[in-house]
């Protein structure tokens, strides 16, 4: 029976070769990006498939200076970290309150969070500019962070509340009898229990905030506040024919995410599966 | 008070302490802009001047009767959505079946490498692929049999359409693969063993046993790609910049230009509401599909 089946299905060796071929094809763009990023412009123009005759690392140095890479990197890092911190704190607190004290008001807040998840950013984009302007937050890193908080809390509330429902109340009740305040109970007892879901949310949101383009595009116009995608994009506008500078700039801009990806790959896969419920 | 309410007693202070931080960013960033978008959809306004002129449904009339560019972008995004959804789900599911048919210790690496394109934002990805389409394909086209790669990918409407499809599928099929692998792993091995007793062909086994069992993953993946593609902005803005001749302008780009390039905040907001209705239909369809699958299961 078994033999009959394996004879009829494609053998493991063949499947393995197909898979290796697919993976190799998938990685080809990265290969061409890397080998051409260290070539002189003349060699790129002549033949992109050939290996570089010299490894010209000065391409990277020049792209690093001309994109003002450290500044864009710092801006992206600041936006991502502060946005993550706020989204995790605000949405976990609200979700806790919503689950443990389902008043009419809190149920409404929860329903609005669910509804938010189907609103594409483009729908609120135009008035958001007006609101941020009225709050004096346009053209600033805090403005970007604040908008990310607002855009991120709904999914946070959704994910946290699903998790908190399964957290037993015993510990909280015991702490309350000993006279601990509500906030103290949350930060000392509940928050540490949410570690795994916090991690999932951080993974999903980090890639979003780090790679976000449309929001910073409409909020930031001053060069000194540009995040990486915006800085690279405006650099490409000026140097569109200088592939010897553009390719190193593009490579540098994906390196931080690539490093994080390879270190955290198992967690990222788990996080993507857990977050797949969000449309 | 404390005895009856337990830990979770009514207190305005507690309510404020826990809910206010979330609401103070959620309301100004989501709730107010959403209703404000509905409001300015009825106005003629350039976004700068004090004067907003109430014009009723005129913006909507403009959209539906005299804005062919908008409907061109809707039709483009629609065709993109169909092509990308089909291709990245077929590829993702194929990859998932291949990867999960490997011995356990050989699944991790291909899974990770196929997911790699997902670390990039659309803008960066678009620039990288512009290089591939404009320069690399030109070099590879010298290989006999691959001459078709040498065509002008981004300069003609047809190839430009498929260029965006290729790049999107390259990114999304890694993601759908992850979800499909999770679905395949979740299949009860007893069910598979029992079904195999009849000795179905591999093809029949896939369509009558595996596929029905992973339908929840199929629904998630299809709608995830649909929404992603229909709202696409980043990738197209760097890969084709909406060209050639505006043939690859997405709905999002049309919205952006209406508001921020032509300064028609009123018309732009009305378009945003029409756009929202499209997305709402997709979401309702998803809810419908998810529910009907639950009843079957």
């Amino acid at each position: 029976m078994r033999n009959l089946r394996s004879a009829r299905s494609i053998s493991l060796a063949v499947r393995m070769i197909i898979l290796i071929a697919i993976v190799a094809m998938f990685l080809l763009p990265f290969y061409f990006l890397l080998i051409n990023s260290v070539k002189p412009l003349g060699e790129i123009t002549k033949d992109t498939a050939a290996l570089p005759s010299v490894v010209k690392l000065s391409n990277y140095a020049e792209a690093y200076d001309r994109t003002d890479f450290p500044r864009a990197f710092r801006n992206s890092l600041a936006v991502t970290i502060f946005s993550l911190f706020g989204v995790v704190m605000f949405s976990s607190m609200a979700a806790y309150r919503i689950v443990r004290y389902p008043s009419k008001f809190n149920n409404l807040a929860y329903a609005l969070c669910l509804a938010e998840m189907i609103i594409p950013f483009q729908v609120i984009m135009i008035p958001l500019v007006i609101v941020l302007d009225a709050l004096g937050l346009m053209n600033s890193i805090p403005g970007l962070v604040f908008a990310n908080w607002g855009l991120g809390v709904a999914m946070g509330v959704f994910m946290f509340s699903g998790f908190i429902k399964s957290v037993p109340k015993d510990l909280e009740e015991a702490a309350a009898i000993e006279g601990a305040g509500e906030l103290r109970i949350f930060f000392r007892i509940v928050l540490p229990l949410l570690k795994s879901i916090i991690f999932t949310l951080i993974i999903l949101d980090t890639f979003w905030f780090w790679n976000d383009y449309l929001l910073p595009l409409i909020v930031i116009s001053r060069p000194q506040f540009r995040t990486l995608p915006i800085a690279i994009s405006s650099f490409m506008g000026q140097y569109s024919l200088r592939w010897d500078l553009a390719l190193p700039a593009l490579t540098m801009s994906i390196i931080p995410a690539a490093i994080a990806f390879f270190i955290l790959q198992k967690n990222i896969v788990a996080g993507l599966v857990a977050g797949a419920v969000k449309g | 008070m404390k005895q009856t309410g337990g830990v979770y007693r009514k207190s305005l202070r507690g309510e404020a302490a826990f809910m206010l931080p979330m609401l103070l960013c959620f309301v100004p960033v989501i709730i107010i802009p959403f209703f404000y978008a509905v409001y300015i959809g009825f106005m003629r306004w350039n976004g700068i001047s004090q004067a907003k002129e109430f014009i009723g449904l005129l913006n909507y009339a403009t959209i539906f009767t005299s804005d062919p560019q908008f409907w061109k972008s809707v039709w483009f995004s629609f065709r993109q959505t169909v092509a990308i959804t089909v291709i990245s789900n077929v590829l993702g599911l194929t990859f998932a079946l291949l990867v999960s048919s490997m011995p356990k210790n050989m699944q991790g690496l291909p899974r990770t490498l196929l997911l790699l394109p997902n670390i990039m934002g659309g803008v960066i990805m678009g620039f990288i692929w512009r290089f591939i389409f404009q320069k690399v394909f030109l070099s590879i086209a010298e290989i006999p049999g691959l001459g078709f790669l040498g065509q002008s990918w981004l300069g003609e409407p047809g190839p430009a359409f498929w260029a965006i499809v290729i790049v999107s599928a390259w990114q999304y099929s890694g993601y759908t693969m992850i979800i499909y692998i999770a679905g395949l792993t979740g299949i009860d091995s007893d069910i598979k063993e029992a079904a195999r007793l009849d000795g179905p062909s591999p093809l029949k086994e896939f369509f009558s046993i595996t596929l029905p069992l992973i339908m929840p993953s199929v629904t998630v993946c299809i709608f995830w790609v649909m929404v992603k593609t229909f709202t696409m902005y980043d990738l197209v803005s760097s890969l084709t910049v909406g060209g050639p001749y505006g043939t690859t302008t997405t709905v999002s780009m049309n919205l952006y230009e209406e508001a921020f390039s032509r300064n028609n905040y009123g018309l732009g907001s009305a378009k945003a509401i029409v756009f929202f209705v499209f997305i709402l239909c997709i979401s309702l369809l998803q809810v419908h599909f998810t529910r009907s699958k639950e009843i079957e299961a």
Side-chain angles (χ1 to χ4, degrees):
Chain A
M1 191 69 186
R2 281 254 154 218
N3 285 339
L4 194 78
R5 273 194 49 77
S6 61
R8 261 197 297 166
S9 56
I10 316 162
S11 80
L12 181 66
V14 175
R15 273 180 282 137
M16 221 176 265
I17 291 165
I18 295 172
L19 186 59
I20 290 169
I22 290 172
V23 171
M25 259 178 65
F26 250 66
L27 297 180
L28 269 181
F30 293 111
Y31 168 78
F32 285 113
L33 174 68
L34 288 176
I35 63 159
N36 286 293
S37 70
V38 292
K39 284 182 190 173
L41 185 59
E43 279 184 45
I44 302 175
T45 321
K46 218 174 101 206
D47 186 4
T48 54
L51 287 170
S53 63
V54 283
V55 176
K56 199 179 165 217
L57 285 175
S58 63
N59 285 354
Y60 278 84
E62 206 181 336
Y64 185 84
D65 288 338
R66 292 208 192 179
T67 48
D68 210 343
F69 192 82
R71 192 166 63 185
F73 182 82
R74 267 201 311 273
N75 287 341
S76 275
L77 201 63
V79 169
T80 305
I81 289 174
F82 287 115
S83 301
L84 283 174
F85 182 78
V87 167
V88 168
M89 291 313 294
F90 304 158
S91 55
S92 62
M93 289 168 77
Y96 175 69
R97 188 73 186 180
I98 287 167
V99 172
R100 292 293 191 245
Y101 187 74
S103 65
K104 259 190 197 135
F105 178 79
N106 289 349
N107 285 340
L108 174 70
Y110 184 67
L112 287 174
C113 285
L114 288 185
E116 189 271 348
M117 293 201 288
I118 63 162
I119 302 177
F121 173 69
Q122 288 85 343
V123 172
I124 54 152
M125 162 175 87
I126 300 166
L128 181 60
V129 170
I130 298 158
V131 170
L132 290 178
D133 200 35
L135 295 170
L137 288 170
M138 276 299 272
N139 238 318
S140 72
I141 298 286
L144 215 44
V145 170
F146 179 71
N148 276 337
W149 287 347
L151 292 160
V153 285
M155 185 174 77
V157 165
F158 174 70
M159 289 178 69
F160 280 121
S161 61
F163 192 86
I164 292 171
K165 275 178 200 147
S166 65
V167 174
K169 297 177 187 173
D170 312 14
L171 284 172
E172 297 161 35
E173 278 161 2
I177 289 164
E178 283 172 23
E182 287 169 301
L183 280 170
R184 205 180 142 82
I185 292 174
F186 176 76
F187 285 109
R188 283 299 186 73
I189 296 167
V190 182
L191 201 56
L193 295 173
L194 304 179
K195 237 184 287 168
S196 68
I197 192 81
I198 289 175
F199 202 66
T200 302
L201 187 67
I202 287 180
I203 282 171
L204 292 172
D205 285 354
T206 301
F207 282 91
W208 166 21
F209 295 146
W210 183 265
N211 291 324
D212 199 13
Y213 181 65
L214 200 46
L215 176 69
L217 184 68
I218 61 170
V219 173
I220 304 289
S221 57
R222 289 212 197 105
Q224 70 258 40
F225 298 136
R226 279 177 187 156
T227 58
L228 259 179
I230 303 290
I232 296 290
S233 171
S234 86
F235 177 76
M236 292 296 295
Q238 295 171 47
Y239 295 92
S240 60
L241 297 173
R242 290 293 304 274
W243 285 112
D244 58 330
L245 298 179
L247 297 179
L250 292 168
T251 310
M252 281 189 293
S253 78
I254 58 174
I255 283 175
I259 293 172
F261 175 74
F262 281 112
I263 294 172
L264 297 169
Q265 41 167 308
K266 286 232 168 67
N267 303 299
I268 289 171
V269 168
L272 288 180
V273 172
V277 278
K278 203 235 167 185
Chain B
M1 242 334 238
K2 222 171 183 179
Q3 283 86 342
T4 49
V7 192
Y8 316 105
R9 63 193 189 279
K10 249 185 198 165
S11 98
L12 206 60
R13 250 184 68 209
E15 186 78 1
F18 282 93
M19 296 300 287
L20 221 47
M22 186 275 270
L23 292 173
L24 281 179
C25 30
F26 186 65
V27 173
V29 174
I30 306 290
I31 306 293
I32 294 174
F34 182 78
F35 289 104
Y36 202 49
V38 176
Y39 170 74
I40 35 184
F42 297 120
M43 304 285 158
R44 180 180 290 136
W45 186 37
N46 63 9
I48 305 156
S49 76
Q50 290 292 316
K52 296 189 197 77
E53 188 193 343
F54 180 81
I55 52 169
L57 292 171
L58 203 62
N59 284 329
Y60 291 93
T62 307
I63 294 168
F64 283 99
T65 58
S66 51
D67 195 343
Q69 288 305 320
F70 177 71
W71 293 104
K72 244 176 85 178
S73 72
V74 170
W75 177 231
F76 172 75
S77 284
F78 177 78
R79 286 183 302 144
Q80 282 274 310
T81 303
V82 173
I84 294 169
T85 304
V86 171
I87 293 173
S88 44
N89 276 284
V90 170
L91 285 179
L93 184 51
T94 311
F95 298 166
L97 288 166
L98 260 173
V99 169
S100 46
S101 76
M102 292 291 130
K104 272 275 176 292
N105 59 350
M106 289 171 65
Q107 295 185 2
L109 190 62
R111 192 186 60 180
T112 303
L113 293 177
L114 290 172
L115 191 61
L116 193 59
N118 283 275
I119 63 169
M120 272 184 276
V123 199
I124 303 295
M125 189 166 71
F127 285 126
I128 291 175
W129 275 89
R130 202 153 88 187
F131 176 69
I132 305 286
F133 283 122
Q134 288 180 341
K135 298 281 164 198
V136 176
F137 277 7
L138 219 55
S139 302
I140 304 178
E142 288 166 18
I143 301 169
L146 292 178
F148 70 95
L149 288 177
Q151 65 178 308
S152 165
W153 280 91
L154 306 177
E156 295 296 326
F161 177 92
W162 289 106
I164 300 165
V165 172
I166 290 168
V167 181
S168 302
W170 180 67
Q171 184 170 49
Y172 296 155
S173 52
Y175 177 86
T176 54
M177 172 193 71
I178 294 296
I179 309 300
Y180 284 127
I181 289 177
L184 290 168
T185 320
I187 294 179
D188 192 345
S189 54
D190 288 351
I191 298 178
K192 283 212 116 164
E193 289 300 320
R196 277 178 184 169
L197 289 176
D198 297 332
S201 71
L203 216 59
K204 191 161 182 247
E205 181 185 317
F206 172 74
F207 281 108
S208 53
I209 301 156
T210 312
L211 195 59
L213 286 172
I214 58 162
M215 269 328 268
S217 308
V218 177
T219 315
V220 166
C221 285
I222 285 180
F223 285 98
W224 184 85
V225 179
M226 276 174 80
V227 171
K228 275 271 180 193
T229 315
F230 199 74
T231 59
M232 175 158 35
Y233 182 91
D234 308 11
L235 170 64
V236 184
S237 80
S238 61
L239 186 64
T240 67
V241 208
Y245 331 117
T247 49
T248 61
T249 302
T250 66
V251 192
S252 291
M253 292 171 91
N254 184 281
L255 272 177
Y256 180 92
E257 282 162 15
E258 195 65 64
F260 299 118
S261 305
R262 292 195 280 272
N263 281 325
N264 292 327
Y265 275 43
L267 185 56
S269 297
K271 283 184 182 183
I273 300 302
V274 174
F275 180 65
F276 175 65
V277 173
F278 290 142
I279 296 292
L280 193 66
C281 291
I282 297 179
S283 300
L284 291 176
L285 213 63
Q286 175 172 23
V287 171
H288 172 78
F289 269 94
T290 315
R291 288 244 173 92
S292 65
K293 283 297 166 287
E294 272 165 12
I295 293 161
E296 265 174 45

